[in-house]
Amino acid sequence: MPLLRPRSALRWSLVGLLVLLLAALPSLVGRLPAADADRSAADLRAAVLASGDVAFSGYAQSAGGLTLPLTDTFTGIADLFSDRATMRTWYRSAQDWRTDVVTATGETGTHRDATGTWTWQYEDDEATRARVFPLSLPIAPDLLPSDLGRRLLSQAADDELTRTGAERIAGRDALGLRLVPADVASSVSHVDLWVDAATGVTLRVEVFGGDASAVGVVTGEPALSTGFLDVDFTEPAASVTAFTPPPGADVETDEGLPVLDGGRTPDQSPLPAELAGLPRQDVEGVERSVGVYGRGITQLVVVPIPGRFADRLRGQLDVAPGAVLDDLGVRLSAGPLGLMIATGPRGATYLLAGTVTSETLASVAGQLPTTGGRG
Amino acid sequence: MIAVELVKLFRRPRTWVTIALLNALPVLVAVLLALTDLGPRPGEGPAFLSAVLTNGNLYPLAALAIVLPLFLPIAVAVVAGDSVAGEAQGGTLRYLLARPAGRTRLLVAKLVAAFVFVLVAVVVVAAVGYVTGSVLFGVAPTGTTTFSGTTLSSQQIVVRTLLAIGYVTFSMLGVAAFALFFSTLTDSPLGATLGALAVLITSSLLFTLDAASSIAPYLPTRYWLSYVDLFRDPILWRDIVRGVGLQAVYLVVLLGASWANFTTKDVTS
């Protein structure tokens, strides 16, 4: 007796065919070939840097695998680099945009206007006004590929860039670009970027760590990836990016983070013009006691911090897996991100954070000035 | 035949007991919130529950969010799982098929009855939620705040609530399709119900795993809660459209499989 009668076999075949067709559809769409273009890496970089005026809206996701042991002090940053964030963005210009981080039961929206930002947090029913700070901690909108791509390429040299083919991303033809930092101090091995062929907007960024022994580094996997899933190059309406606090919401003002304001240690000796071979950058508006060193993707921020705050940070770093404790302080590499609480000879304490190797952090710590006047 | 199945379904006391039980939890939650005035913080607990203390208009949505993860799928799976297997277990399937109506028509009638139950269950939960919310929490005169910080008028809330009810109903049709398919495979209604629930539990579990992220877009429960995106400004249609598309695919495939199996199987009971 046959397993299936002819009529039964025919009907099941029809169902099977339907299942096969539907199952294969996403894969077939995903395999649509991307059109490559004969454009040099330098040309593509120039297109990315010029894309700041391109209006668009989009839906993006970022995913970080960096486990930062800073859950008590910098919760937002720890979450940002270890979690998956889903973002909607509407971009009209560099001074008129909105990015929402959406979750299953709420969202946090950042609205930029000519004089600053509004941050709306549904979970707290709170709107916060902030001016534009010259130096601030990273937030989710900084991880949008369009913004991150421009920042990563802003100081890249042409000989650090190569072309890497093309891919279909968010329904667009995206041209590949690889950045390999030339600086030996860099903890980033390379960055892969895919740039919209028509507009120069970066559609996907993947950052790979160089030190395989760093916490959170999985060989071959990006330490941080961010990309658009949908993108539309129609200019969004001004009403979408504007924000007025809703009635009844708490309205606050953000005065910036004191730790980035020089840590209120005015008696600290000035930081040198170069640390471990990294030149100091002149960032307008930043306190003189805060140093920004390096170039392009190799960046290090040196901030003198008050003792009590340093003790809290050190307490968290001391017990973190992979932390190195020695006479210079405690340091940790989480993927390409290096963190250190450095202790000077006379009790001065500094927070060092950036995309530099653990050896560079140690070298920098050894060259930091001691305390000045009061000691 | 469809009318016969509908009358049969809604004359059964257990149908209404199921719907009543479905409403018990949202009503209990509303009473507790009203008595204690202790709502969850925005972003915590079931969606919209934090906002109902200031606007009872939103309680239909909170009630749906309370029953959607577990109780509503169970109710739908119980009713749809009983559709064919219940007749087989009761020994009445043979007699139903003895009529000249044919198997496909019987299956369609069972299908429509299950779908009407889904619609009635969701609408009753929303209606009871509206009455409960209005009575216990009152209605805010200034409208309500979206997730994005903009304010919706009462009319906008009504339109978006109706869209949410439609979306939840359509999402539950997928559950009904799973249960109906299993119901054509077995003579045990309990087996069919548990089969459908096993699929949904598996889907919910896989959705929480990063390792399963590549198959997450195809999991039947993936987009169930996306109706909250109707309360962002502008509305985030992306997951809602994908949710409707995914449920449509499951419906077509499972109903096709139900038809292929039921119209060719040997019915002995």
Side-chain angles (χ1 to χ4, degrees):
Chain A
M1 189 174 145
L3 192 62
L4 285 174
R5 285 169 296 187
R7 200 173 60 147
S8 178
L10 178 69
R11 293 186 180 189
W12 276 110
S13 301
L14 280 174
V15 174
L17 206 64
L18 183 69
V19 171
L20 274 178
L21 186 71
L22 290 169
L25 212 54
S27 172
L28 290 174
V29 171
R31 285 168 194 270
L32 282 176
D36 205 345
D38 185 22
R39 294 177 67 175
S40 70
D43 179 33
L44 215 48
R45 172 180 175 266
V48 170
L49 298 185
S51 67
D53 295 330
V54 178
F56 64 92
S57 55
Y59 180 90
Q61 276 188 338
S62 73
L66 311 182
T67 309
L68 298 178
L70 302 174
T71 47
D72 290 347
T73 40
F74 295 118
T75 313
I77 298 184
D79 291 347
L80 189 63
F81 288 110
S82 63
D83 271 351
R84 189 180 293 270
T86 302
M87 293 174 276
R88 303 171 82 188
T89 189
W90 297 265
Y91 185 90
R92 287 165 53 81
S93 71
Q95 295 190 339
D96 185 5
W97 51 261
R98 164 184 166 189
T99 299
D100 294 345
V101 178
V102 299
T103 61
T105 55
E107 69 184 46
T108 299
T110 306
H111 300 247
R112 176 78 157 87
D113 56 37
T115 57
T117 59
W118 279 106
T119 302
W120 162 250
Q121 288 180 288
Y122 173 77
E123 280 82 354
D124 296 326
D125 195 20
E126 183 182 279
T128 305
R129 181 67 186 171
R131 60 188 168 87
V132 179
F133 300 107
L135 198 62
S136 59
L137 295 174
I139 56 174
D142 295 326
L143 294 188
L144 277 174
S146 48
D147 193 52
L148 188 61
R150 254 194 315 275
R151 202 168 328 119
L152 293 177
L153 292 177
S154 63
Q155 294 180 323
D158 285 351
D159 59 0
E160 292 177 312
L161 299 169
T162 48
R163 281 294 320 275
T164 57
E167 271 196 37
R168 289 285 293 178
I169 297 174
R172 310 272 304 180
D173 289 328
L175 308 180
L177 190 61
R178 174 165 291 184
L179 165 62
V180 181
D183 203 320
V184 290
S186 181
S187 57
V188 173
S189 66
H190 67 273
V191 181
D192 285 337
L193 305 99
W194 283 268
V195 179
D196 183 56
T199 64
V201 171
T202 309
L203 298 179
R204 187 190 292 162
V205 177
E206 291 180 343
V207 180
F208 292 80
D211 184 359
S213 65
V215 177
V217 169
V218 180
T219 307
E221 292 291 319
L224 178 73
S225 69
T226 176
F228 281 111
L229 303 181
D230 288 328
V231 67
D232 176 5
F233 288 98
T234 310
E235 184 177 28
S239 58
V240 175
T241 55
F243 182 78
T244 304
D250 291 336
V251 178
E252 306 284 338
T253 303
D254 185 359
E255 300 295 346
L257 200 64
V259 69
L260 292 180
D261 209 21
R264 292 180 185 149
T265 51
D267 55 341
Q268 216 88 34
S269 299
L271 290 167
E274 187 179 288
L275 280 172
L278 300 171
R280 186 171 183 174
Q281 293 181 29
D282 187 18
V283 183
E284 195 179 337
V286 174
E287 290 285 322
R288 285 303 300 164
S289 56
V290 176
V292 181
Y293 291 86
R295 177 187 63 83
I297 197 168
T298 311
Q299 299 266 344
L300 177 70
V301 179
V302 181
V303 188
I305 51 175
R308 192 182 300 174
F309 185 67
D311 289 342
R312 278 181 62 197
L313 277 178
R314 191 183 290 120
Q316 292 173 59
L317 285 184
D318 279 351
V319 295
V324 177
L325 285 80
D326 56 24
D327 293 342
L328 296 167
V330 54
R331 62 184 183 275
L332 176 79
S333 291
L337 196 61
L339 284 173
M340 181 170 193
I341 303 297
T343 309
R346 296 174 67 185
T349 47
Y350 293 86
L351 169 64
L352 316 181
T355 47
V356 295
T357 60
S358 181
E359 294 74 25
T360 306
L361 286 173
S363 175
V364 167
Q367 297 172 21
L368 288 170
T370 60
T371 51
R374 285 188 298 188
Chain B
M1 188 176 270
I2 290 173
V4 171
E5 289 301 325
L6 286 174
V7 168
K8 197 159 66 178
L9 177 67
F10 286 105
R11 273 193 178 162
R12 277 182 187 157
R14 73 173 173 193
T15 301
W16 294 105
V17 169
T18 303
I19 292 175
L21 286 173
L22 206 52
N23 283 279
L25 183 61
V27 172
L28 176 65
V29 170
V31 170
L32 289 173
L33 285 179
L35 289 176
T36 61
D37 209 24
L38 287 176
R41 286 164 54 82
E44 293 177 0
F48 303 104
L49 203 55
S50 60
V52 299
L53 286 175
T54 53
N55 191 353
N57 258 355
L58 292 176
Y59 204 70
L61 296 163
L64 287 174
I66 290 168
V67 299
L68 187 57
L70 189 61
F71 292 104
L72 190 57
I74 288 177
V76 173
V78 166
V79 170
D82 188 62
S83 296
V84 177
E87 301 284 3
Q89 191 180 50
T92 52
L93 189 56
R94 270 191 307 175
Y95 301 107
L96 281 176
L97 294 177
R99 290 184 291 182
R103 295 187 182 196
T104 302
R105 278 190 67 186
L106 177 65
L107 191 67
V108 170
K110 293 287 185 189
L111 179 73
V112 171
F115 284 5
V116 170
F117 171 79
V118 172
L119 181 64
V120 169
V122 173
V123 169
V124 170
V125 168
V128 171
Y130 178 74
V131 174
T132 311
S134 303
V135 170
L136 295 178
F137 307 115
V139 176
T142 56
T144 194
T145 303
T146 62
F147 287 179
S148 311
T150 53
T151 304
L152 293 179
S153 65
S154 297
Q155 194 180 1
Q156 286 174 312
I157 294 174
V158 170
V159 171
R160 296 192 190 200
T161 301
L162 289 175
L163 284 172
I165 289 170
Y167 181 79
V168 171
T169 303
F170 197 70
S171 297
M172 286 300 106
L173 295 187
V175 181
F178 270 111
L180 187 70
F181 171 59
F182 288 127
S183 189
T184 65
L185 291 178
T186 173
D187 289 349
S188 162
L190 184 63
T193 301
L194 291 179
L197 292 178
V199 170
L200 302 179
I201 291 168
T202 304
S203 168
S204 301
L205 182 76
L206 289 176
F207 184 44
T208 62
L209 293 179
D210 280 344
S213 60
S214 57
I215 59 169
Y218 311 108
L219 296 173
T221 60
R222 162 66 181 86
Y223 298 107
W224 275 9
L225 290 172
S226 296
Y227 73 93
V228 300
D229 291 344
L230 292 164
F231 292 84
R232 306 185 194 278
D233 197 11
I235 293 174
L236 176 54
W237 290 105
R238 187 177 197 277
D239 283 359
I240 294 171
V241 170
R242 279 169 170 70
V244 169
L246 183 66
Q247 293 304 323
V249 168
Y250 275 113
L251 275 175
V252 168
V253 169
L254 289 166
L255 296 181
S258 302
W259 166 77
N261 185 52
F262 185 61
T263 53
T264 55
K265 73 185 280 189
D266 292 325
V267 176
T268 56
S269 53

